[in-house]
Amino acid sequence: MPELPEVETIKRVLEPQLKGLTITKVTVNRPEVTAYPAADEFCRLLTGQRVSGMMRRGKFLYILLENGGRVILHLRMTGGLLFTPADFPQEKHTHIIFEMDDGRQLRFSDMRRFGRFWMLQNEEVDTYSGIAKLGIEPFDDELTTEYLILHLGKRKKAIKECLLDQSIIAGIGNIYSDEILFTAGIYPARPAGSLRQEEWERLARVIPERLTYFIEKNEITPEEYLETKGQDYRNTPFLQIYGHAGKTCPVCGSLLSRMVIGGRSSVYCPGCQKN
DNA sequence: CCCTGCCTGCTG
DNA sequence: CAGCAGGCAGGG
């Protein structure tokens, strides 16, 4: 489910709550969810550790520990994190529970079980999670017209597929690639190599602008987040085309179309995004 | 490069 | 019932 704006929202909600708490017990109900190390070692290493903060990188989350260790997780399609009182009703498909020293629990649930956890010690190099292969953050100063042209300017594959390539820019998924290309007025199936200078300029501007906008629209209090079980993506009413195939374009009134690009369902406006 | 697998649940 | 879902790794 979550792309960068949602993962950032989760980080902003959870970090102030978890910071300073010590993990007293870890329960792993589905051992395949801990990709590294194996579940028993994962639990052993984390028990007794104190949380110093959280970070986001692309769609990955970090839970940082005072001893220098860190938990890394990726929610993939349907993963969710909730910080709950101990007696809060448990979500179906809850695979990991971290009990904290204030009596509350951090719970990971994931219907489709694609989400993964890793745990690395202070000095340990992360060759496991895939974070090392990520490209730049969308809000980095490095995200410039020149960067896009350098890395994508000669690619034959569709610009939409390029935006989904986590090794170039980290964090963009199927929803926001569609939204970004709509705002930039670029037909999603265009070979990246066919984009003109001014289109790369527009993308360099629109990518951080749209993601920032959707992070802001997602803002939620910890109480609201818990009430809605972390499933309330408040920015969805502000999506202009994702999920709106067959409806009219909010800008030009054309009928929004849908096509499959790189195996992913894609929505675009034939009026605003000409081939 | 495309294709499949990984999972469960919802929609048409 | 098939088809699809906000992701990604791995295989051919």
Side-chain angles (χ1 to χ4, degrees):
Chain A
M1 68 173 83
E3 302 180 26
L4 186 151
E6 289 70 42
V7 177
E8 178 64 26
T9 302
I10 294 167
K11 185 246 165 197
R12 290 183 186 188
V13 167
L14 293 181
E15 183 178 35
Q17 302 186 84
L18 292 175
K19 203 168 174 172
L21 299 184
T22 297
I23 300 166
T24 55
K25 187 178 177 191
V26 183
T27 306
V28 176
N29 296 321
R30 285 281 189 176
E32 67 266 35
V33 170
T34 58
Y36 175 86
D40 50 350
E41 180 75 348
F42 181 88
C43 297
R44 192 182 70 76
L45 290 170
L46 282 169
T47 305
Q49 299 307 321
R50 188 183 215 183
V51 175
S52 63
M54 289 181 72
M55 274 177 45
R56 179 196 57 74
R57 174 82 171 94
K59 301 173 200 171
F60 289 82
L61 275 173
Y62 286 87
I63 299 170
L64 306 170
L65 305 172
E66 278 188 0
N67 73 352
R70 68 265 195 211
V71 176
I72 298 168
L73 62 133
H74 196 303
L75 299 168
R76 296 280 170 90
M77 299 281 267
T78 55
L81 278 181
L82 278 188
F83 187 56
T84 76
D87 60 358
F88 193 80
Q90 197 172 103
E91 291 294 281
K92 205 176 169 184
H93 307 294
T94 294
H95 307 314
I96 304 187
I97 300 172
F98 302 83
E99 296 177 38
M100 311 304 287
D101 63 348
D102 71 343
R104 288 187 285 180
Q105 303 179 342
L106 179 68
R107 300 174 182 174
F108 169 71
S109 62
D110 186 357
M111 179 176 76
R112 291 174 75 179
R113 233 179 296 144
F114 293 168
R116 288 294 177 267
F117 278 69
W118 299 263
M119 196 266 157
L120 295 165
Q121 302 278 50
N122 189 14
E123 305 295 326
E124 208 168 353
V125 178
D126 182 7
T127 56
Y128 306 96
S129 72
I131 286 183
K133 294 183 219 156
L134 292 181
I136 60 174
E137 283 290 312
F139 311 115
D140 278 1
D141 292 340
E142 293 175 67
L143 179 39
T144 60
T145 305
E146 295 70 35
Y147 179 89
L148 294 177
I149 293 173
L150 175 65
H151 292 276
L152 303 177
K154 290 190 174 149
R155 291 206 182 187
K156 288 177 190 165
K157 63 161 74 162
I159 183 61
K160 154 131 181 176
E161 291 181 78
C162 295
L163 293 185
L164 292 173
D165 185 340
Q166 303 298 301
S167 74
I168 307 298
I169 305 167
I172 300 172
N174 203 37
I175 295 179
Y176 301 111
S177 56
D178 280 4
E179 294 293 321
I180 286 164
L181 289 168
F182 172 71
T183 303
I186 298 168
Y187 181 70
R190 283 264 303 281
S194 76
L195 266 65
R196 299 180 297 273
Q197 170 79 19
E198 55 119 356
E199 291 173 318
W200 290 118
E201 285 169 10
R202 250 183 284 153
L203 270 183
R205 182 162 37 81
V206 164
I207 290 168
E209 183 277 316
R210 286 281 85 185
L211 294 174
T212 303
Y213 171 84
F214 286 112
I215 289 171
E216 287 169 1
K217 293 297 183 195
N218 252 352
E219 196 174 318
I220 189 167
T221 67
E223 293 74 24
E224 293 167 329
Y225 180 85
L226 184 55
E227 275 165 32
T228 59
K229 296 171 196 149
Q231 299 300 315
D232 181 15
Y233 297 111
R234 315 199 140 189
N235 57 18
T236 49
F238 301 95
L239 297 173
Q240 294 188 286
I241 57 164
Y242 181 85
H244 294 188
K247 299 181 195 159
T248 54
C249 170
V251 172
C252 78
S254 302
L255 218 52
L256 298 176
S257 295
R258 175 203 161 103
M259 70 191 298
V260 174
I261 302 170
R264 310 299 302 277
S265 167
S266 308
V267 184
Y268 67 98
C269 171
C272 299
Q273 299 165 271
K274 298 219 187 291
N275 188 357

